[in-house]
Amino acid sequence: MLPLFLPSSSSSSPALFLLLLLLLTHQTLTSISLSQPDALRSPEKCGNFSVSFPFHLSSSSSAATFRLSCTNSSTLFLHINHQSYRIIEFFTDGLLVDFPSSPSCRQFNDLRSFPFSANQFFSISFENVIGLYDCEDSSLCKFGCETNDLFGCDGREEDETSGGDIGCCYPLSDHSAWRAGDDFSVFSKYGCRGFSSWFVPRGTNRGKRGVKLEWAIPRNSSEAICDREARTVNATAIEGSVRCVCRDGFVGDGFVHGTGCLKSCYKDGKELYGDKCKIKKHNGKKLTVLAGVLAPLFILGSLLALFCLLKRPVTTHKDQHELDEATKGFQDSQKLTQGKTGTIYSGNLTNGTRVIVHKVLCENKIEFMEISSQIDHLSAVLHRNLARIIGFCMDIGYSPLVVYEYPVNGSLGDRLRLGLDWCKRVNIVAEVAGLLALLQYENYPPILHNNISSGYIFLDEDFQAKVTGFGLQRKQRIDASMYDFAVLLLEIVTGLKQREETVTQALQRIRSGKLEEIVDPSMYFHEQPVAFREQIGLVADIATRCVLFGGDGKFGMVDAARELLQIAGNNGGGGCDMKRDGIEETFSNSSLLQMISMSPDSIYLPKT
């Protein structure tokens, strides 16, 4: 068995004891929190619809703006300015509605058939695409808009061959003829006489008939709107209004007067909430006394430990010497990759074992303490796609060193340069996304990689991903993680190491429909099966959304993981070898994490 590199015997000092005391009291104090419910409130029901806050069915509520009516226990209606709109579908930021007073689907409608006036709560969404008929001014038509799949009343795609030519296609996101707050009668000045509407979700080109309305709540409310564990997200088409989104690791509607945000976790394959996610439970009086006793001790221990750490002499020890010898003095010839989290080296131990040595970037003594705690936290996670940590070396005055096993197929970056088929590429990024989602959502505090790239991902004999190089400092940002993951996806598609300027160029080509210009030539894009070409486009689209929406919480790692696992899972019958148990064909918002946590190769070992 390989040795575990630890601080030398000189570390067994009062300073180490105080450091352990510091960590123990810190963990105890962080477990002291306000009591939370252990279940989400059940939403109101109308047929197959679940009605969630701020919408409601209660006539006794004073919030008439979001009051809905349920007809025949199956059909929902939204009422705005004496008009009733049948609800087709709910979304987190809006709802899809039908034309008012329309008994059946019509191929096109009069411009005055959707009499909607925007307010501080509702507006027509930018995600609608409009088909305009008999327009006198063709400058309104936008090139490329017609490439969307827009279906007629009969369910067939609108085109000339089906007898349903959409005429002039205009996306409301264009803003040149229609602006937020306008209704559809604005198109009459272009001589148009009728229109149809489809909602086209971001990142897709498949439309759903109807009109999507965005909803939000005015920011100038005199009281708090969002739960303390929620982020405030600005509305897109409603100026000065916002919505609430629970931050990572929490579930709920995010609103103070709704379900709020409850801590979410998985235990024994079941999703649990609130107090059930706590490791230990204490009654309120005991916690109060414990906090009163430990708080002064925590402060004293922190000061003494920090003082001792700062005064410790700088020494060189056996383990440091062995790793120095294994990496040939950390020569550049042994360097595998370098990034924001430090440098990765290849090394050979005295027993002949090949290893990966991560020289972690550490700027000060405070970060040194944080890194020590995070290494302990990360070492407690066992997962098939996490490279096994076989040791670490922590010596004051030296950079922390984390030692991983060395998978036989080297780094993903190197394999991409040699050539890698599409099946392996998409499997690898799906595995990586699943691991990162698990570490971010299943752990508290969350573990973020902080610099994911192809140089930190290694491949075993079956080309399964093994992730190394975690940034172990606490100062981590989720939006930065999403950008890094977007860069990784672009490298998977293009086969090239991405720089900031090449990322911008690649995204511009993707958004302008010129994906084939950037695909790795070694994959022979036009010779790929249609299904694989579509998958390459989907992965490129996920990369785009990671950049555009990863920073404001609209698209997170769990979303990327769910979609990538879906893509990879669909390849099982297409010649791709998926070595992953329990992947299902579809995922709900939470079943991704359930799938990962139920996997026999994914275990979290609690500290004893």
Side-chain angles (χ1 to χ4, degrees):
M1 187 172 179
L2 293 174
L4 180 67
F5 302 97
L6 295 170
S8 68
S9 58
S10 65
S11 301
S12 302
S13 63
L16 179 59
F17 172 76
L18 289 172
L19 179 58
L20 293 174
L21 179 63
L22 166 66
L23 295 174
L24 176 62
T25 54
H26 175 66
Q27 290 178 348
T28 305
L29 285 173
T30 54
S31 69
I32 301 172
S33 61
L34 295 177
S35 177
Q36 282 192 319
D38 54 22
L40 290 170
R41 292 204 299 269
S42 298
E44 296 177 281
K45 291 283 187 177
C46 176
N48 294 325
F49 290 103
S50 294
V51 181
S52 301
F53 187 88
F55 297 97
H56 61 90
L57 299 173
S58 173
S59 59
S60 60
S61 173
S62 60
T65 302
F66 294 100
R67 184 183 301 147
L68 308 177
S69 61
C70 181
T71 304
N72 298 326
S73 300
S74 61
T75 308
L76 271 178
F77 286 92
L78 171 69
H79 309 281
I80 303 176
N81 295 336
H82 307 294
Q83 289 289 342
S84 296
Y85 303 89
R86 182 177 67 87
I87 297 174
I88 301 173
E89 188 174 351
F90 280 105
F91 305 98
T92 57
D93 62 343
L95 58 169
L96 186 65
V97 301
D98 203 353
F99 285 77
S101 305
S102 178
S104 60
C105 178
R106 302 183 59 176
Q107 204 68 24
F108 63 91
N109 303 270
D110 186 270
L111 290 174
R112 297 182 297 276
S113 62
F114 199 88
F116 180 85
S117 297
N119 55 43
Q120 58 186 344
F121 298 99
F122 294 98
S123 181
I124 296 173
S125 171
F126 292 136
E127 294 175 287
N128 292 296
V129 170
I130 309 302
L132 296 158
Y133 301 88
D134 297 330
C135 297
E136 297 174 358
D137 186 350
S138 61
S139 67
L140 182 66
C141 309
K142 297 302 174 183
F143 178 76
C145 175
E146 71 282 353
T147 60
N148 289 301
D149 296 331
L150 307 176
F151 296 89
C153 293
D154 57 1
R156 292 191 299 169
E157 187 174 351
E158 294 270 33
D159 56 31
E160 293 181 0
T161 59
S162 66
D165 183 15
I166 64 171
C168 179
C169 185
Y170 179 84
L172 297 189
S173 58
D174 181 74
H175 305 304
S176 61
W178 183 94
R179 300 181 184 277
D182 290 342
D183 62 16
F184 296 114
S185 64
V186 71
F187 295 111
S188 61
K189 65 183 179 182
Y190 295 91
C192 303
R193 296 176 177 83
F195 81 109
S196 294
S197 175
W198 295 266
F199 158 57
V200 181
R202 291 187 184 98
T204 73
N205 67 341
R206 189 178 181 87
K208 299 181 180 182
R209 287 190 71 91
V211 179
K212 181 183 177 182
L213 301 179
E214 183 179 10
W215 66 265
I217 293 177
R219 183 189 288 272
N220 60 1
S221 175
S222 59
E223 57 180 311
I225 298 175
C226 298
D227 185 272
R228 62 177 183 168
E229 300 294 352
R231 299 187 305 275
T232 301
V233 177
N234 292 323
T236 305
I238 313 173
E239 186 176 357
S241 294
V242 299
R243 289 182 298 275
C244 304
V245 178
C246 291
R247 66 183 181 87
D248 296 328
F250 291 81
V251 295
D253 56 42
F255 291 90
V256 170
H257 297 297
T259 62
C261 295
L262 295 182
K263 183 76 177 75
S264 174
C265 63
Y266 279 83
K267 293 182 180 179
D268 300 324
K270 296 181 180 179
E271 187 173 16
L272 301 177
Y273 307 105
D275 287 342
K276 289 184 178 180
C277 290
K278 293 181 179 179
I279 297 176
K280 294 182 180 181
K281 293 185 178 181
H282 304 277
N283 62 48
K285 290 184 178 179
K286 288 183 178 179
L287 284 177
T288 302
V289 173
L290 186 61
V293 172
L294 290 180
L297 182 61
F298 172 75
I299 296 172
L300 179 62
S302 300
L303 294 174
L304 289 175
L306 180 60
F307 176 78
C308 292
L309 285 171
L310 292 174
K311 290 295 184 179
R312 280 184 61 180
V314 176
T315 56
T316 304
H317 303 297
K318 177 183 176 181
D319 296 329
Q320 182 78 31
H321 277 316
E322 182 174 359
L323 292 179
D324 189 76
E325 181 180 346
T327 59
K328 299 180 181 178
F330 297 98
Q331 290 183 3
D332 286 346
S333 60
Q334 300 296 112
K335 185 185 297 184
L336 298 176
T337 191
Q338 186 172 5
K340 294 180 291 187
T341 66
T343 307
I344 293 281
Y345 294 86
S346 171
N348 289 282
L349 300 179
T350 53
N351 63 2
T353 302
R354 193 178 185 188
V355 294
I356 298 168
V357 181
H358 182 198
K359 195 172 187 179
V360 183
L361 185 64
C362 181
E363 297 179 351
N364 52 56
K365 302 294 174 61
I366 300 298
E367 281 194 355
F368 187 94
M369 296 164 63
E370 292 176 351
I371 291 170
S372 176
S373 175
Q374 287 288 81
I375 289 176
D376 185 40
H377 194 187
L378 187 62
S379 299
V381 181
L382 299 181
H383 189 279
R384 77 175 92 202
N385 299 124
L386 178 65
R388 188 166 66 93
I389 297 177
I390 59 177
F392 59 92
C393 183
M394 300 288 293
D395 266 325
I396 297 294
Y398 294 86
S399 296
L401 302 174
V402 182
V403 185
Y404 298 88
E405 63 182 356
Y406 197 111
V408 296
N409 272 315
S411 75
L412 172 60
D414 290 340
R415 296 300 306 188
L416 286 173
R417 311 302 170 256
L418 296 173
L420 203 60
D421 65 54
W422 174 249
C423 285
K424 289 187 177 67
R425 295 186 193 214
V426 73
N427 286 356
I428 290 165
V429 291
E431 290 173 343
V432 172
L435 171 66
L436 297 182
L438 174 77
L439 295 176
Q440 183 175 325
Y441 287 81
E442 282 280 283
N443 292 273
Y444 190 79
I447 299 176
L448 304 179
H449 189 282
N450 214 32
N451 192 203
I452 191 67
S453 70
S454 63
Y456 290 131
I457 301 168
F458 289 77
L459 307 173
D460 68 7
E461 63 272 14
D462 294 321
F463 287 89
Q464 285 192 334
K466 302 290 181 180
V467 180
T468 68
F470 284 79
L472 299 170
Q473 302 88 344
R474 293 284 175 87
K475 54 180 184 182
Q476 301 173 341
R477 292 173 51 198
I478 292 176
D479 56 346
S481 297
M482 293 307 295
Y483 181 83
D484 291 340
F485 190 70
V487 174
L488 172 64
L489 294 181
L490 290 177
E491 187 173 353
I492 287 292
V493 170
T494 65
L496 300 174
K497 193 74 175 176
Q498 298 292 309
R499 302 183 305 276
E500 186 172 352
E501 59 270 24
T502 58
V503 168
T504 302
Q505 294 169 4
L507 293 177
Q508 288 174 344
R509 284 181 170 83
I510 292 170
R511 299 183 72 182
S512 61
K514 299 178 180 178
L515 173 65
E516 67 275 8
E517 294 183 6
I518 64 170
V519 174
D520 188 346
S522 71
M523 288 200 293
Y524 298 99
F525 179 74
H526 292 290
E527 297 180 13
Q528 293 283 349
V530 173
F532 287 1
R533 293 204 301 268
E534 290 178 349
Q535 289 179 5
I536 293 170
L538 290 173
V539 172
D541 176 67
I542 294 171
T544 302
R545 283 182 284 154
C546 285
V547 174
L548 295 179
F549 309 118
D552 58 13
K554 292 181 179 179
F555 191 78
M557 187 57 68
V558 72
D559 301 303
R562 181 175 58 247
E563 294 187 26
L564 288 167
L565 286 168
Q566 176 77 59
I567 295 169
N570 288 340
N571 280 342
C576 292
D577 183 16
M578 285 296 295
K579 298 179 181 297
R580 186 184 293 105
D581 298 329
I583 289 189
E584 302 171 356
E585 292 185 0
T586 57
F587 301 94
S588 65
N589 286 336
S590 60
S591 62
L592 166 67
L593 298 182
Q594 184 175 6
M595 178 278 295
I596 295 173
S597 62
M598 289 177 66
S599 168
D601 293 326
S602 173
I603 311 167
Y604 181 75
L605 301 179
K607 299 186 177 85
T608 57

